[in-house]
Amino acid sequence: MKKKDDIDIQELENEGLPKRELVGGWSKVIFIVGVFMSLFHIYSLAIHPINPWVLYSAHIGFGFILTLALYCGTKRATKIAIPIYDLILMVLSIFSVLYMITQRDTIIHRIGVSPTPLDLVVSIIIVVLVLEITRRTCGNILPFIAVVFIFYAHFGKYLPGILGHRGYSWSKILSYLIGMDAIFSTPIGASANMVFLFIVFGAFLGASGSGKFFIDLALSVSGSQRGGPAKVAILSSALFGSVSGNSVANVASTGSFTIPMMKSIGYRPAFAGAVEACASTGGQIMPPILGSAAFIMAQLIGEPYTKIVLASIIPAFLYFYTVYLMVDLEAIKYNLKGMPKENLPSFKYVATHQGYLILPLLVLIISLSVLNMTPIRSSIYAIITAIAVTYIRKETRMGIKGILTALAQGAYSSVGIISACATAGIVVGVLNMTGAGLKFASAVISLSMGILPLALFLTMLASIVLGMGLPTTASYLICAAVTAPALVQMGLSPLAAHMFVFYFACISAITPPVALAAFAGAGIAKAKPIDVAFTACKIGISAFIIPFMFAYGPSLLWGTSLNRILSSAISATIGVTMLSFGLQKRAFKIELNTIGSVIITASSLLLIKPGIMTDTIGVIACSLVIIVTLLREKVKKEAKETA
């Protein structure tokens, strides 16, 4: 019998409804559709560019077909065949997409102004299908938010105060939503133009055996250190999470290996699950891909992709450094050893026998950051490299079947992003139509009374709440549309504002009460979900602090001189180190009493705001606590020896 606290990992990983396992002819048909979708995007983006309207329409159309085929409409629906109602929806989706493509020269002038009856029929089909595929892939929360916004567009005239507007007819709303300012706007553009190819690259990377290589590499580097398995979880998830783009899926894959290892050497179940949840969530903020969000952010704020990656380096380092330090302090506290070296792969063996598997990732990074190639060309070169490296060893060669399978798998994995981006487009469309984006920003500024710290705090709460239960990409898109404009109006750069909301959208995955990554970790660790979530918040505490750091100190986002960047990075590193000491009540082997830990925790917060005065006070206070503690321990030791 299933216990109350048991977690269905498969359900969490899917985030929406159960996936189908098609058999027979349908399996082959959908496989062909998946392969064709990937090839279509590669051809349209890298070989023969086509009209964006056609690309976006086809992109969403493929998303409709694959989602309706691969995801059940209800939890009790058949999982081995496609029911008749989904076949009808597929036909409607094909009709609506073909209509959008064939009528593109005229419909673009009619939508939102004077739509024909057939325009409205197609609009209704597309909007309903977008909401339906999002419900199946992402759960009920995101479509519910979109529906609320749609009703707001119509009934806003009845709202008092700043959020009220004149209201719009249903025909205007529905036709406007299928335009380039709504469903076909920046989110779906980023998904079609860049994110899709990186998802395909991730499929090829997985097919090449890189997932096992990342874990073996982490084992060889840190498996024998104190608390080794926890450090393995951090390193492997940091490497794999950036490519996977899904914190829950990352927990389910690497966590099934690392969490039992952590428990085997003495880590508490709740702590083991929390470490993996934090590491997998951190993968979403890990450069160079940031779980696909880097490309979407670049599109939204109009900055080069390389600038987004550069800005993410120091914050990501601070986060993973803090998680690593918290794990190390926990190992010291409970005297947890590492794994026997004889049971671990040697670094030399991993480097010589599997090291070539990192080449695709290196090609991607060098192409993007050093050679300054476009994301499209970089991803194509990375895919080619991922195929090529498998031919280095006979047993790993991909072959035609393996290549086709990876193409199909990449298409299958894209449906969650497509649905999330399309639904986010609905929210963006309503904000554009009603001007509510600026009104929400004005409301935040009004509530905060123009005080930046209060505005940041309110934005943090809004981003965490809006992100709860949503995939990372969907969470960020909603937060970027609703909360980021307020911070920009208060003086933050668009990059700092978007990075701020992005961080909190990500860590909603470990924040109670709806902490999907933490709940997935709890399911594997056999621990209480809420205990894992609160422990994850403690381990990943720096993620709640770092956004405030770069909001006050833009140099952490690599936006000033090298001297300022280095001084800010050093100050921030000292700050998160002291924060870890305070929360764990120890500075490595030095135990701290309650008063000392409170002083160190409070002093570490002074290092959030860059400045010589606050940094000096913080460092002196922390140093005094550690010195006094050392002297007290020395006196106790001498007293024992004398006795």
Side-chain angles (χ1 to χ4, degrees):
M1 181 180 292
K2 200 171 185 178
K3 296 179 181 178
K4 182 180 179 181
D5 288 327
D6 285 349
I7 300 293
D8 188 336
I9 304 297
Q10 187 68 37
E11 184 176 330
L12 280 176
E13 185 179 359
N14 291 341
E15 290 172 333
L17 291 167
K19 282 185 177 179
R20 289 195 179 106
E21 297 294 336
L22 297 174
V23 297
W26 279 121
S27 176
K28 295 175 182 177
V29 169
I30 297 305
F31 179 83
I32 293 171
V33 171
V35 172
F36 184 72
M37 178 182 184
S38 292
L39 292 176
F40 169 80
H41 281 77
I42 291 171
Y43 178 79
S44 301
L45 294 169
I47 300 173
H48 184 73
I50 61 175
N51 184 292
W53 184 274
V54 177
L55 175 63
Y56 300 170
S57 298
H59 186 66
I60 290 179
F62 279 118
F64 287 156
I65 293 171
L66 289 181
T67 304
L68 294 170
L70 296 174
Y71 285 80
C72 297
T74 64
K75 290 184 178 181
R76 295 183 179 180
T78 178
K79 294 181 180 180
I80 60 173
I82 303 175
I84 186 67
Y85 57 82
D86 277 339
L87 292 175
I88 294 172
L89 291 177
M90 283 184 193
V91 172
L92 291 175
S93 70
I94 293 170
F95 162 74
S96 60
V97 168
L98 289 176
Y99 182 83
M100 294 290 287
I101 292 173
T102 57
Q103 297 293 311
R104 67 181 184 274
D105 293 332
T106 57
I107 194 174
I108 198 168
H109 301 294
R110 297 196 301 266
I111 53 177
V113 181
S114 56
T116 66
L118 193 52
D119 290 345
L120 287 175
V121 170
V122 170
S123 299
I124 293 170
I125 292 172
I126 290 177
V127 171
V128 170
L129 284 175
V130 165
L131 295 174
E132 173 60 12
I133 66 170
T134 307
R135 182 184 72 88
R136 296 193 187 193
T137 57
C138 303
N140 295 324
I141 298 175
L142 185 54
F144 175 76
I145 292 172
V147 169
V148 169
F149 271 84
I150 292 172
F151 277 99
Y152 169 72
H154 183 70
F155 294 106
K157 59 186 176 183
Y158 299 110
L159 292 178
I162 192 173
L163 293 180
H165 60 83
R166 65 187 182 88
Y168 297 90
S169 66
W170 288 116
S171 61
K172 183 176 180 63
I173 294 168
L174 290 169
S175 65
Y176 185 87
L177 289 180
I178 62 168
M180 298 293 279
D181 292 323
I183 290 176
F184 291 89
S185 61
T186 300
I188 207 68
S191 174
N193 284 314
M194 289 182 287
V195 175
F196 181 85
L197 288 183
F198 281 88
I199 293 174
V200 174
F201 165 66
F204 275 97
L205 200 64
S208 70
S210 293
K212 182 180 183 301
F213 163 66
F214 290 149
I215 292 177
D216 287 346
L217 180 64
L219 281 168
S220 67
V221 171
S222 59
S224 61
Q225 298 176 13
R226 61 186 174 211
K231 295 172 182 178
V232 170
I234 295 168
L235 292 175
S236 59
S237 294
L239 289 168
F240 187 69
S242 181
V243 179
S244 73
N246 188 314
S247 56
V248 178
N250 201 20
V251 171
S253 56
T254 59
S256 60
F257 175 74
T258 59
I259 290 174
M261 276 202 310
M262 284 187 264
K263 291 173 66 178
S264 71
I265 68 161
Y267 278 110
R268 295 173 289 118
F271 193 88
V275 168
E276 182 57 51
C278 286
S280 295
T281 299
Q284 311 303 295
I285 62 174
M286 183 71 179
I289 300 177
L290 282 75
S292 298
F295 310 110
I296 296 173
M297 192 182 298
Q299 290 270 77
L300 289 177
I301 65 177
E303 294 283 3
Y305 164 80
T306 50
K307 187 172 182 178
I308 307 295
V309 173
L310 205 59
S312 68
I313 292 174
I314 296 176
F317 163 76
L318 292 172
Y319 176 79
F320 279 103
Y321 166 74
T322 308
V323 174
Y324 196 92
L325 185 57
M326 294 287 280
V327 161
D328 192 51
L329 294 172
E330 184 83 0
I332 295 171
K333 185 188 296 185
Y334 293 102
N335 194 29
L336 304 178
K337 307 297 182 184
M339 301 173 70
K341 283 191 175 182
E342 57 270 20
N343 295 342
L344 299 171
S346 70
F347 178 78
K348 182 179 179 181
Y349 177 85
V350 173
T352 54
H353 286 73
Q354 297 175 267
Y356 62 89
L357 292 172
I358 204 171
L359 284 174
L361 204 53
L362 291 178
V363 167
L364 178 67
I365 294 169
I366 293 171
S367 299
L368 286 168
S369 56
V370 179
L371 301 178
N372 204 25
M373 292 182 180
T374 64
I376 293 172
R377 180 173 293 186
S378 300
S379 59
I380 293 297
Y381 286 159
I383 290 170
I384 293 171
T385 307
I387 297 171
V389 296
T390 65
Y391 282 82
I392 292 176
R393 293 185 177 277
K394 186 177 180 179
E395 60 272 18
T396 61
R397 288 176 186 170
M398 200 170 285
I400 296 298
K401 183 179 179 181
I403 293 171
L404 294 177
T405 300
L407 287 169
Q409 190 57 52
Y412 299 165
S413 301
S414 72
V415 295
I417 295 288
I418 294 172
S419 59
C421 288
T423 303
I426 292 176
V427 175
V428 170
V430 172
L431 292 176
N432 288 334
M433 174 182 280
T434 61
L438 294 175
K439 293 177 181 179
F440 281 123
S442 299
V444 171
I445 294 171
S446 176
L447 285 172
S448 65
M449 297 174 288
I451 302 170
L452 182 59
L454 185 54
L456 290 171
F457 180 74
L458 291 173
T459 303
M460 176 192 75
L461 292 180
S463 298
I464 290 175
V465 171
L466 286 171
M468 283 182 178
L470 295 180
T472 304
T473 305
S475 175
Y476 164 62
L477 284 168
I478 296 297
C479 294
V482 177
T483 62
L487 299 182
V488 174
Q489 281 196 32
M490 296 197 69
L492 263 66
S493 68
L495 176 58
H498 278 256
M499 286 292 285
F500 187 91
V501 300
F502 172 60
Y503 258 67
F504 287 112
C506 286
I507 61 173
S508 63
I510 60 170
T511 308
V514 184
L516 294 185
F519 291 176
I524 299 171
K526 304 300 180 188
K528 290 184 177 179
I530 201 67
D531 289 347
V532 174
F534 278 113
T535 305
C537 287
K538 178 183 175 182
I539 296 170
I541 186 67
S542 63
F544 295 88
I545 305 297
I546 291 168
F548 289 90
M549 288 182 171
F550 60 65
Y552 281 108
S555 51
L556 288 177
L557 299 179
W558 220 279
T560 56
S561 66
L562 186 59
N563 287 338
R564 290 285 301 276
I565 292 168
L566 289 175
S567 62
S568 297
I570 292 169
S571 169
T573 302
I574 295 171
V576 295
T577 300
M578 295 305 155
L579 180 64
S580 301
F581 287 169
L583 291 174
Q584 288 287 46
K585 290 189 175 182
R586 62 173 52 247
F588 295 113
K589 294 188 178 181
I590 304 169
E591 285 195 49
L592 302 172
N593 58 26
T594 301
I595 295 175
S597 64
V598 169
I599 292 173
I600 282 187
T601 301
S603 300
S604 70
L605 299 179
L606 292 173
L607 295 158
I608 292 176
K609 189 177 186 299
I612 295 175
M613 182 66 72
T614 53
D615 289 355
T616 302
I617 294 172
V619 170
I620 290 174
C622 293
S623 300
L624 285 174
V625 170
I626 293 174
I627 291 169
V628 169
T629 304
L630 280 171
L631 291 174
R632 187 183 292 118
E633 291 295 322
K634 185 178 180 181
V635 170
K636 285 183 181 179
K637 187 177 180 181
E638 289 175 352
K640 284 183 180 179
E641 290 175 352
T642 304

